[in-house]
């Protein structure tokens, strides 16, 4: 029997586990899916916006995989810490597949970024998604009338939409009650989403963009003169990828329609590069200075020396994710990934037998959820090719016994089901559907069957 550990229970980890147990070439494969959190599903639970229920429903298919009798979920297990170094993990399993994602956000690298009121979109998403690491985050939304979101990808669209949403649209979701209350008391009336390049180069998808223009009591606004700075926008016949072409068509429609007079406004700005965060009283952000940019003819932009100050009491940067080194594994700081060859971890340029990667830590933070499936299959294929050599090693007793003996307290699948039941009960008590428990103590108490 080949015993494998998959570190991370998001899509890449679950797809890797599924491929390993469903293949027929190597019989008797058993997989433990380990996660630092007591809840599974990774970014599907803690990264997909709560009002995107269709995407969140993917949890159902991930659940089916994790309920396979050949797969065991072990949450609340931190790999790489003093309790379970990566080297020790490899002693307990024939092979380890690391699917740990890219948890760090990129900085803008401009003066004033440290001011109060400047946050990463990653932290904001974690807060309204109920990630237990974000339970202590404080977003002073009642004191904010205008916000700036820097970025033009789907995460930027998500946080912009959530800031502009009303409680009636958010209450049916699983958003934690503290976040729902804070957003309900929000003073935000204007959200500006700002990109340094043009509309034809934006990274958001058309479905998400279009949604901004259909929200109740919200106006989606663009400046036709700003759109016209993009040659590909002004030329309807310009060769563009299908998504970018559809995006420009949506923006063209917004530019032609007058605002409806909604209570809140979303403004998309283009060709503005952030150069400084402006401070106000008490060391809090008061706005942001941007430099006007123009296309440079080579797919990028150049500065013009013209500047614009935009007031805001909240700034969220959404300019990408970075991988985080895992103690004990090699790491390429330039790419934010673990060096690998077809998923095999490389140490000193040579494949390290028994160590593999999949997902963002393998390829970088690119693609959509479905991209993880072929990525995981490639890694699983490499592992299975090595199966003969891997299986020669004799392992100690059941890893779960070893983890418990080391003082770890893994949350098994029944513990996760207890968390689900506790969240459903919390929702009923609040007159809502299932509501996430947003803190470590509450999650672990629920997993143990105690009060939250």
């Amino acid at each position: 029997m080949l015993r494998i550990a998959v570190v991370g229970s998001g899509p890449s980890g679950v797809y890797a586990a599924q491929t390993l147990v469903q293949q027929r070439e190597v019989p008797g494969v058993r997989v433990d899916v380990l996660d630092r959190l007591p809840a599974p599903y990774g970014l599907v639970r803690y990264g997909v916006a709560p009002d995107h229920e269709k995407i969140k429903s993917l949890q159902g298919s991930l659940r089916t995989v994790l309920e396979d009798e050949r797969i065991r979920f072990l949450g609340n297990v931190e790999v790489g810490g003093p309790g379970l170094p990566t080297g020790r993990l490899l002693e307990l399993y024939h092979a380890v597949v690391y699917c740990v994602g890219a948890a760090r956000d990129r900085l803008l690298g401009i003066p004033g970024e440290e001011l109060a009121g400047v946050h990463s979109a990653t932290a904001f998403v974690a807060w309204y998604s109920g990630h237990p690491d974000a339970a202590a985050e404080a977003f002073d939304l009642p004191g904010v009338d205008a916000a700036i979101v820097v970025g033009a990808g789907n995460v930027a669209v998500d946080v912009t939409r959530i800031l502009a949403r009303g409680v009636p649209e958010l209450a049916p979701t699983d958003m934690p009650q503290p976040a729902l209350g804070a957003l309900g008391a929000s003073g935000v009336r204007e959200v500006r989403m700002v990109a340094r390049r043009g509309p034809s180069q934006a990274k958001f998808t058309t479905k998400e963009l279009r949604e901004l223009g259909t929200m109740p009591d919200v106006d989606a606004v663009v400046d036709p003169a700003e759109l016209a700075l993009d040659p590909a926008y002004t030329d309807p016949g310009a060769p563009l990828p299908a998504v970018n072409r559809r995006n420009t068509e949506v923006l063209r429609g917004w530019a032609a329609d007058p605002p409806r007079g909604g209570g809140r406004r979303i403004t998309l700005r283009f060709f503005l590069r952030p150069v400084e965060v402006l401070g106000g009283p008490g060391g809090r952000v008061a706005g942001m200075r941007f430099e006007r940019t123009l296309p440079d003819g080579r797919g990028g932009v150049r500065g013009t020396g013209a500047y614009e100050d935009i007031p805001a009491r909240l700034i969220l940067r959404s300019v990408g994710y970075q991988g985080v080194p895992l103690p004990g594994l090699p790491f390429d700081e330039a790419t934010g990934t673990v060096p690998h060859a077809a998923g095999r971890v490389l140490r000193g340029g040579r494949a390290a037998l028994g160590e593999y990667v999949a997902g963002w830590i393998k390829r970088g933070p690119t693609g959509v959820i479905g991209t993880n499936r072929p990525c995981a299959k490639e890694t699983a294929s490499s592992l299975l090719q090595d199966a003969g050599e891997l299986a020669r090693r004799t392992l100690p007793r059941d890893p779960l016994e070893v983890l418990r003996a080391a003082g770890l307290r893994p949350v098994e699948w029944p513990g996760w089901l207890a968390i689900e039941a506790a969240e459903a009960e919390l929702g009923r008590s609040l007159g809502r559907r299932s509501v996430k428990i947003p803190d470590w103590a509450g999650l672990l108490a629920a997993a143990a069957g105690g009060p939250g």
Side-chain angles (χ1 to χ4, degrees):
M1 181 179 74
L2 201 62
R3 186 189 294 163
I4 301 168
V6 170
V7 182
S9 65
S12 62
V14 174
Y15 293 152
Q18 181 183 35
T19 302
L20 289 166
V21 300
Q22 289 184 350
Q23 54 75 39
R24 297 181 180 180
E25 294 82 1
V26 181
V29 172
R30 295 293 183 270
V31 177
D32 284 352
V33 177
L34 282 58
D35 203 293
R36 187 177 70 88
L37 298 174
Y41 311 138
L43 282 179
V44 177
R45 175 174 164 92
Y46 289 119
V48 175
D51 59 340
H52 276 179
E53 295 190 9
K54 184 175 181 180
I55 302 175
K56 289 181 74 66
S57 68
L58 178 62
Q59 292 183 24
S61 62
L62 301 181
R63 178 193 194 99
T64 299
V65 175
L66 292 174
E67 288 180 333
D68 189 300
E69 62 181 7
R70 298 163 293 182
I71 296 174
R72 180 169 58 178
F73 172 72
L74 300 177
N76 194 38
V77 175
E78 183 171 8
V79 175
L84 187 58
T86 53
R88 179 56 173 153
L89 187 63
L90 194 57
E91 294 172 359
L92 302 177
Y93 295 90
H94 291 108
V96 181
V97 184
Y98 294 95
C99 308
V100 292
R104 182 174 57 192
D105 69 284
R106 294 183 183 275
L107 295 171
L108 295 169
I110 61 176
E113 198 167 2
E114 75 288 347
L115 290 171
V118 181
H119 303 268
S120 71
T122 307
F124 190 62
V125 169
W127 171 72
Y128 68 60
S129 295
H131 195 295
D133 289 346
E137 288 283 351
F139 291 92
D140 182 22
L141 300 179
V144 174
D145 58 350
I148 292 172
V149 178
V150 180
N154 278 347
V155 175
V157 173
D158 279 348
V159 298
T160 296
R161 189 183 64 256
I162 293 295
L163 280 169
R165 277 271 192 227
V167 168
E169 293 89 53
L170 294 174
T173 73
D174 62 0
M175 180 180 286
Q177 191 67 19
L180 180 66
L183 287 164
S186 169
V188 175
R189 293 295 175 267
E190 174 95 23
V191 185
R192 296 178 177 92
M193 194 170 85
V194 185
R196 65 184 179 88
R197 297 197 293 178
S200 69
Q201 299 169 307
K203 298 298 184 182
F204 43 67
T205 52
T206 309
K207 180 179 180 294
E208 279 66 29
L209 173 65
R210 201 176 272 130
E211 192 174 1
L212 296 180
T214 60
M215 294 168 57
D217 199 35
V218 177
D219 286 325
V221 179
V222 289
D223 182 353
E226 207 163 65
L227 300 178
L229 297 174
D230 187 341
Y233 174 85
T234 55
D235 178 8
L240 287 174
V243 172
N244 302 75
R245 185 177 66 253
R246 289 194 296 266
N247 288 343
T248 60
E249 290 169 357
V250 171
L251 295 172
R252 196 172 281 112
W254 289 2
D257 291 337
R260 299 176 306 229
R264 298 186 183 186
R265 175 180 291 223
I266 293 172
T267 305
L268 272 64
R269 302 291 309 273
F270 295 96
F271 292 113
L272 291 174
R273 177 166 56 203
V275 295
E276 183 181 358
V277 177
L278 306 175
R284 185 174 178 86
V285 60
M288 185 171 253
R289 178 163 295 159
F290 294 88
E291 181 184 15
R292 168 65 67 194
T293 63
L294 288 174
D296 63 4
R298 301 184 302 274
V301 293
R302 59 177 177 81
T304 64
Y307 296 89
E308 178 180 350
D309 292 351
I310 299 178
R313 299 277 289 170
L314 172 69
I315 293 174
L316 299 176
R317 61 177 181 269
S318 181
V319 290
Y321 295 93
Q322 289 178 306
V324 178
L326 188 66
L329 281 186
F331 189 75
D332 185 340
E333 287 285 354
T335 62
T337 61
V338 171
H340 73 94
R344 294 181 177 93
V345 172
L346 297 178
R347 292 183 179 271
R350 300 185 63 181
L353 184 66
E355 295 180 303
Y356 306 85
V357 286
W360 280 2
I361 200 64
K362 171 186 174 183
R363 67 181 192 273
T366 60
V368 295
I369 290 174
T371 311
N372 289 293
R373 191 177 289 278
C375 173
K377 284 186 175 181
E378 179 191 54
T379 297
S381 177
S382 294
L383 188 158
L384 293 167
Q385 291 170 21
D386 301 337
E389 192 171 356
L390 293 170
R392 293 175 189 160
R393 192 158 53 89
T394 301
L395 300 180
R397 62 189 189 277
D398 184 352
L400 182 56
E401 297 177 18
V402 179
L403 296 179
R404 287 172 173 161
L408 300 177
R409 296 292 178 264
V411 171
E412 298 180 69
W413 193 252
W416 159 241
L417 296 181
I419 292 173
E420 277 193 321
E423 292 184 337
E425 178 56 36
L426 175 61
R428 282 191 292 270
S429 72
L430 295 169
R432 300 172 59 195
R433 290 187 284 179
S434 182
V435 171
K436 282 180 184 167
I437 297 171
D439 61 281
W440 277 98
L443 287 168
L444 294 176

